[in-house]
């Protein structure tokens, strides 16, 4: 990974132009920290108005597919993205283990070990029970430890204990880390496989993917030559391009919407 990505205005303008000229463009985007600022209460996250406007315009542009690709469950992603019944925006939840596409029912695979998931989630909640500012998020295929508001030292101790728990009881589960989050899942799909699935499904010849966290690097690394990868904010990245924050990405998406519509 490189900590440096191309950030010149000319480079970004060239990338937008390349995406705008695609035969079929797939715009696949992380949500938290990418379209919406990070917040202390995760379910209160909402897309920036400028980003929402740009995505609505892009979703109605010819030969253009817009998708949100998130570690959130499909249910939670639909809620925080404020999905309308007639939405044209595809959703990939649980890092690509769950999909919803416009005009169709939610697509769930049913091989989750519910009893093991529930047992480990309950034991993780016992570990964090006395830790202020930490909490366990229930997920369809596992659980996540959030420590954004917790004491750093105590959070590290809780994470170590939960690591040991899952390593012992579910060694085949996938472990992911992010900004103040430690997540475990029985499913091994990632945002890279989610983007590949979306690309194949819609027949896109160019993909623009943007994300702000460690789990987004899988998707960024999987992009083909000619695709556009954008890292939002700081951190090491394999992306060709970087923007400062969600507001800057919203501006870029607005420009892309204008270019894609020929405005």
């Amino acid at each position: 990974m490189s900590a440096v990505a191309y950030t010149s205005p000319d480079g970004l303008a060239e990338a937008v132009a390349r995406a705008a000229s695609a035969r079929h463009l797939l715009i696949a985007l992380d949500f938290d920290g990418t379209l919406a600022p990070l917040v202390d209460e995760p379910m209160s996250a909402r897309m920036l108005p400028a980003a929402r406007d740009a995505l609505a315009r892009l979703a109605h542009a010819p030969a253009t597919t817009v998708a949100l690709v998130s570690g959130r469950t499909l249910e939670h992603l639909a809620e925080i993205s404020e999905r309308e019944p007639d939405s044209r925006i595809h959703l990939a939840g649980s890092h690509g283990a769950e999909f919803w596409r416009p005009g169709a029912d939610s697509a769930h695979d049913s091989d989750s070990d519910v009893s093991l998931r529930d047992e480990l989630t309950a034991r993780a909640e016992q570990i964090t029970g006395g830790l202020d500012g930490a909490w366990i998020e229930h997920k369809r295929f596992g659980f996540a430890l959030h420590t954004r508001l917790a004491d750093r030292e105590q959070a590290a101790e809780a994470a170590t204990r939960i690591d040991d728990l899952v390593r012992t009881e579910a060694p085949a589960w996938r472990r992911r880390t992010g900004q103040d989050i430690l997540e475990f899942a029985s499913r091994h799909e990632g945002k890279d496989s989610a983007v590949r699935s979306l690309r194949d499904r819609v027949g896109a010849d160019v993909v623009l993917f943007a994300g702000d966290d460690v789990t987004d690097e899988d998707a960024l690394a999987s992009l083909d030559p000619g695709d556009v990868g954008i890292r939002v904010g700081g951190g090491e990245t394999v992306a060709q391009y970087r923007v400062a924050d969600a507001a800057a990405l919203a501006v870029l998406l607005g420009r892309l919407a204008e270019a894609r519509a020929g405005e």
Side-chain angles (χ1 to χ4, degrees):
M1 279 188 189
S2 169
V4 178
Y6 301 113
T7 56
S8 72
D10 289 344
L12 280 173
E14 180 182 343
V16 169
R18 183 165 73 249
S21 65
R23 176 187 53 78
H24 191 118
L25 174 63
L26 168 62
I27 302 161
L29 305 166
D30 173 50
F31 190 88
D32 295 285
T34 299
L35 296 170
L38 294 174
V39 293
D40 292 339
E41 297 295 335
M43 290 310 298
S44 70
R46 292 295 182 271
M47 204 179 304
L48 291 173
R52 179 176 298 283
D53 175 71
L55 292 193
R57 292 158 63 197
L58 284 163
H60 284 82
T64 304
T65 300
V66 177
L68 304 182
V69 182
S70 174
R72 302 262 199 160
T73 64
L74 198 60
E75 179 183 4
H76 286 176
L77 182 57
E79 180 177 341
I80 62 175
S81 67
E82 301 176 288
R83 186 190 71 195
E84 299 290 343
D86 60 350
S87 174
R88 292 172 176 251
I89 297 176
H90 295 242
L91 302 182
S94 299
H95 301 282
E98 304 178 280
F99 284 91
W100 178 87
R101 64 181 185 274
D105 293 331
S106 299
H108 296 283
D109 289 334
S110 57
D111 64 351
S112 175
D113 187 337
V114 174
S115 60
L116 179 59
R117 178 201 65 190
D118 290 350
E119 177 187 350
L120 294 183
T121 301
R123 291 174 67 180
E125 288 179 324
Q126 291 175 352
I127 290 172
T128 59
L131 177 54
D132 291 338
W135 59 282
I136 298 296
E137 178 185 1
H138 293 231
K139 288 180 170 281
R140 178 172 171 79
F141 301 106
F143 66 91
L145 166 65
H146 292 264
T147 56
R148 184 177 177 84
L149 301 177
D151 173 82
R152 297 291 94 186
E153 185 175 338
Q154 291 181 326
E157 181 181 352
T160 298
R161 293 178 61 191
I162 290 174
D163 260 331
D164 291 342
L165 168 67
V166 178
R167 188 182 302 112
T168 300
E169 302 296 337
W173 279 26
R174 181 167 178 174
R175 180 186 190 273
R176 295 182 176 92
T177 60
Q179 298 183 44
D180 302 308
I181 185 173
L182 174 62
E183 181 178 350
F184 298 94
S186 61
R187 297 288 294 266
H188 284 243
E189 289 91 343
K191 293 184 180 181
D192 50 348
S193 62
V195 171
R196 282 196 301 270
S197 178
L198 288 162
R199 185 201 293 268
D200 292 345
R201 181 179 297 165
V202 303
D205 58 315
V206 175
V207 174
L208 183 150
F209 179 86
D212 76 309
D213 208 347
V214 176
T215 57
D216 299 308
E217 292 299 316
D218 290 341
L220 289 166
S222 74
L223 297 179
D224 292 341
D227 292 339
V228 179
I230 301 172
R231 174 77 177 209
V232 180
E236 293 188 347
T237 185
V238 297
Q240 310 109 304
Y241 306 101
R242 189 191 300 272
V243 296
D245 52 26
L249 181 68
V251 172
L252 184 148
L253 292 172
R255 292 172 181 163
L256 178 58
E258 292 175 2
R260 191 68 177 161
E263 298 176 9

